[in-house]
Amino acid sequence: MKALGVVFSGVVVASAVAQDPAQFVNHFIGTSNGGHVFAGATLPWGSVKVVADSLSGDNQAGYVSDGTNITGISQLHDDGTGGGASLGNFPFLPFTSTQCANNDLTKCTVDHTLRAIGHGDPTASPGYFSIPLNNGVKAEVTVTQHAALHRFTYPNDTKQLLFLLDATTDLSGSFQGDGQVTVSPNPTTNGTRVTGGGRFTPSFGEGTYQVHFCFDAPTTFVQGKYYETSTFTNLDPAATFDRQVETHPAGVLFGFAPGTAATLNVRIGISWTSTAKACTYAEEEIPDISAFDSVQAAARATWNKVLGTVEVDATGVSAETQELFWSSLYRTYISPTNITGDNPLWNSTEPFWDSFYCIWDSFRVVHPLYAITAPTAQAEVVRALIDIYRNTGWLPDCRMSLDKGFTQGGSNADSLLSDSFSKGITVGIDWETGYEAMVKDATVEGDFTVEGRGGIAARAAVGYVPVGDTSDNPPNEGPNTRSASRLLEYAYNDFGIGLVAKGLGKTDDVAHYFNKSGDWFNLWNPNASNTGFSGFIQPRNADGSFFFDPRYDLNNVFRPDHCSPVFGHTDCFLNSDGGEFYEASSWEYSWYVPQDMASLVKTIGGPDTFSSRLDTFFSAGFHDIGDEPGFLPTYLYNYVGQPAKTVDRVDSIIKQFYSTAINGLPGNDDSGAMGAYVVWSHLGFFPVAGQATYLLNRPYFPKISITNEVNGKVATITAQGLSAENIYIQSATLNGEPYTKNWISHQLFTDGGTLELVMGSSKNSTWGTGQTDLPPSLSTGGFV
Ligand SMILES: *[C@@H]1O[C@H](CO)[C@@H](O)[C@H](O)[C@H]1NC(C)=O
Ligand SMILES: *[C@@H]1O[C@H](CO)[C@@H](O)[C@H](O)[C@H]1NC(C)=O
Ligand SMILES: *[C@@H]1O[C@H](CO)[C@@H](O)[C@H](O)[C@H]1NC(C)=O
Ligand SMILES: *[C@@H]1O[C@H](CO)[C@@H](O)[C@H](O)[C@H]1NC(C)=O
Ligand SMILES: *[C@@H]1O[C@H](CO)[C@@H](O)[C@H](O)[C@H]1NC(C)=O
Ligand SMILES: *[C@@H]1O[C@H](CO)[C@@H](O)[C@H](O)[C@H]1NC(C)=O
Ligand SMILES: *[C@@H]1O[C@H](CO)[C@@H](O)[C@H](O)[C@H]1NC(C)=O
Ligand SMILES: *[C@@H]1O[C@H](CO)[C@@H](O)[C@H](O)[C@H]1NC(C)=O
């Protein structure tokens, strides 16, 4: 992995506040090495996400920086996901006589794999993507919320602009029928219109989804063919052709006459509801098919507005740090998608958002970030989640392409909601119904493969989720594993329910749920030991005995390092033999008590043991920054009054695992979660997701301002004397008053204010180190 360059290189790149943060965004970070980053053109939370699709095993988000050929440029994608390749519907491909001998459309290679074309280096900027194909055609695209405008520039001597619209092939070949292709003259433009759609399957969920398109070319075609498998049907530019499509592949081929330039602009609207709506979106959002440059400029302006709630003074900050910061922030706004007004599933006046892929990843860092940088969007997200509860009966953990996705761990929408609630996100939100949804998660067992929790009855009886629990309804559906990591998450989810109960004045519930949040302790085995440390979270049988997995815990010696990077790293995914921890080891999950870290410190043996145990956790390779449970541990030194060690730890993680290179991410970006970790680390504080606490490390910019777009209040953080050496906080003031706590609360972002930090090169042995400087914990009187 390429390491990040020196943060303060001494090269002074910019001294003014960036007015055009889009200029710093590099779309290609994480487009190799399994980052699965979406590199294409979209708006913030855009429905349409367009990029060239690589013929690569890593094409979950379409384009991969691995040199593989391009199968098409398709209209819909997700960002940074694991699982199968997502979406990739309605690809276009410009052809020349190389693909279609003698410009004969029946000779074109339409097969998805065989048609793939080599390419040069793509370029991209917010709202724009371009790639030169080896057949001489340059493909460019820009977008609006529900539509895309493509511009294909053919070689100058091109006699006919040949073009493929594949109506059925998505990235995973999931076409299920219910398709339609209608080709007709467009009465308003005198051009060519194609409408259609089809049914497909989601990439990490159950069921199917339908999606619709409306395509417009500005002129009538010189020749056109409809193809279905290997049969070609001639199209008449003056007549309407209509076909129900059940067989895959199917699509249309056109030859257009070149105009004065060999350029073809085409427009496509996308709707999850109907082809009529897709046409309306296209016509309203891109009225002029020739206006590529102005659509692109508008897209960039939209991005700058959303990125611009954060302002940084980049004096003395390297170009690479600025690029890393803004590119990471940019990626946090790609997903979920705002498809309000385009919901085919139920009628509602509430916002509708999709591609929560998945909340297990995003609740920790992405949604807490929105709470300070995009609170309007976050309020809509919360309303959308509550409306999903109203209409499906459950809050989701994961959704994509209108379908239910697979639950990974706890019911973490509870913690997403408690995060927003405790940060005063209220606009338009029916918190009583939100609370009802959270309580349902905690009390009613559903099909936990896709909703709610499993093991509720068993946990009520014994205080934890036992290994092999079969009380699920329906029993054992899906990979019925993860009992230990789910229990830890359920306990923290319960804490979030308690926080909301407190705010809503439900006193009895507060006591109940705060008490249930103590269940983590029921899986604590003080006798489990590893590398000189005792006491670990260990799975437990229903009879109370601790569980040993015969596959790994040989001779009944529990292995808390199992599933860590050093032992059985890939054993713990969402598969039926996936063990009792999910995507991390007991070593890592044994830190996960954010509701009561003070109690964990005591349980582990006090601050010194806690601190040296953290040191070993990192130095022995048990920590995994490539999956989200690895984020919070990098900040935990604050809970034992050692904030300077957090500074060192976070700096070394950023340097070792993140860069602006194509392989600059340690794992799947997971809908911007990896990006959000980078953003928080650079801002100088990190959210304990689910509560209003932020743990301080140190900023990477001498001044950062965040404007609350709801009330206009500005939170400013300054780091006086910050340099490559001066990275430790010496002293601080908050709104002019001396401040020694090593954490801040959300109040800074609701009320506005200034946190002034004085930086130095040595670790101040007293700042942030006292008992009264520690972040809140339930057992030491926090949160009540
Ligand atoms: C990539 O495309 C080129 C044409 O641009 C073709 O010659 C080559 O065989 C393709 N490679 C693969 C692996 O498909
Ligand atoms: C194609 O034509 C355009 C416009 O006349 C010209 O600017 C461009 O240089 C030409 N490109 C090539 C490769 O000849
Ligand atoms: C479409 O064609 C008709 C008939 O030739 C013509 O009257 C009309 O102006 C054209 N409309 C556009 C938008 O070019
Ligand atoms: C929404 O309401 C309209 C008008 O009453 C109805 O035709 C349509 O079927 C409803 N859609 C859904 C998904 O319930
Ligand atoms: C979401 O989409 C709706 C409908 O287009 C729009 O009114 C709303 O402003 C969007 N929300 C955000 C945060 O952009
Ligand atoms: C929860 O309540 C039970 C019963 O009163 C008590 O034994 C236990 O200590 C409580 N746990 C916590 C974490 O408060
Ligand atoms: C831990 O080991 C001690 C000594 O063998 C034993 O008495 C105790 O019951 C054990 N505790 C647990 C929770 O297994
Ligand atoms: C170290 O921190 C203490 C406590 O905040 C403060 O009084 C002292 O001035 C700091 N030392 C330096 C060198 O800033």
Side-chain angles (χ1 to χ4, degrees), residues 228-253:
E228 194 170 312
T229 57
S230 51
T231 308
F232 291 83
T233 309
N234 201 40
L235 297 172
D236 173 356
T240 294
F241 169 89
D242 192 25
R243 186 65 59 99
Q244 298 301 307
V245 187
E246 300 301 333
T247 318
H248 165 77
V252 289
L253 288 155

Side-chain angles (χ1 to χ4, degrees), residues 451-732:
E451 58 208 6
R453 304 182 186 178
I456 291 177
R459 180 180 165 208
V462 296
Y464 53 89
V465 179
V467 174
D469 171 56
T470 53
S471 65
D472 306 310
N473 174 27
N476 275 322
E477 183 162 321
N480 190 10
T481 57
R482 307 163 270 154
S483 63
S485 52
R486 282 195 287 127
L487 186 270
L488 291 171
E489 295 185 8
Y490 295 158
Y492 188 60
N493 301 150
D494 285 344
F495 166 77
I497 301 177
L499 274 188
V500 178
K502 184 165 159 276
L504 295 176
K506 300 177 190 294
T507 317
D508 293 352
D509 286 7
V510 181
H512 174 73
Y513 285 105
F514 279 179
N515 180 279
K516 295 299 290 175
S517 80
D519 277 1
W520 66 272
F521 189 73
N522 299 329
L523 288 187
W524 189 267
N525 183 359
N527 289 347
S529 69
N530 189 264
T531 326
F533 293 94
S534 292
F536 284 93
I537 292 293
Q538 186 173 339
R540 214 167 165 182
N541 299 306
D543 67 5
S545 60
F546 282 103
F547 169 78
F548 296 93
D549 192 320
R551 294 172 297 176
Y552 320 111
D553 303 328
L554 304 183
N555 303 317
N556 280 7
V557 177
F558 177 59
R559 290 289 302 263
D561 55 345
H562 181 237
C563 309
S564 80
V566 297
F567 178 47
H569 193 198
T570 57
D571 290 347
C572 301
F573 297 123
L574 203 57
N575 41 324
S576 50
D577 60 354
E580 305 307 316
F581 294 88
Y582 184 67
E583 288 193 8
S585 60
S586 167
W587 253 104
E588 192 157 296
Y589 274 106
S590 294
W591 301 113
Y592 194 60
V593 190
Q595 65 275 36
D596 198 356
M597 291 302 293
S599 178
L600 181 68
V601 170
K602 215 183 265 175
T603 304
I604 274 180
D608 293 345
T609 310
F610 186 95
S611 180
S612 63
R613 180 167 161 152
L614 267 176
D615 294 345
T616 298
F617 171 62
F618 293 107
S619 64
F622 303 143
H623 175 240
D624 180 10
I625 195 65
D627 284 305
E628 286 68 14
F631 289 167
L632 187 57
T634 61
Y635 283 79
L636 292 183
Y637 293 103
N638 289 35
Y639 282 99
V640 287
Q642 300 182 350
K645 279 179 88 169
T646 293
V647 171
D648 288 340
R649 183 61 59 197
V650 173
D651 275 17
S652 86
I653 293 283
I654 294 288
K655 281 203 183 84
Q656 191 182 345
F657 295 104
Y658 294 91
S659 80
T660 56
I662 53 173
N663 64 357
L665 288 183
N668 303 153
D669 195 33
D670 288 327
S671 299
M674 290 287 149
Y677 178 81
V678 171
V679 171
W680 286 111
S681 300
H682 282 62
L683 292 176
F685 52 98
F686 188 82
V688 185
Q691 49 182 273
T693 309
Y694 303 94
L695 308 175
L696 292 168
N697 59 320
R698 58 91 170 188
Y700 282 57
F701 297 92
K703 183 176 176 193
I704 296 164
S705 301
I706 299 171
T707 303
N708 183 322
E709 57 180 4
V710 175
N711 64 16
K713 298 283 170 52
V714 180
T716 301
I717 292 148
T718 62
Q720 187 192 319
L722 180 72
S723 71
E725 295 75 36
N726 295 345
I727 58 172
Y728 303 108
I729 298 172
Q730 305 299 303
S731 63

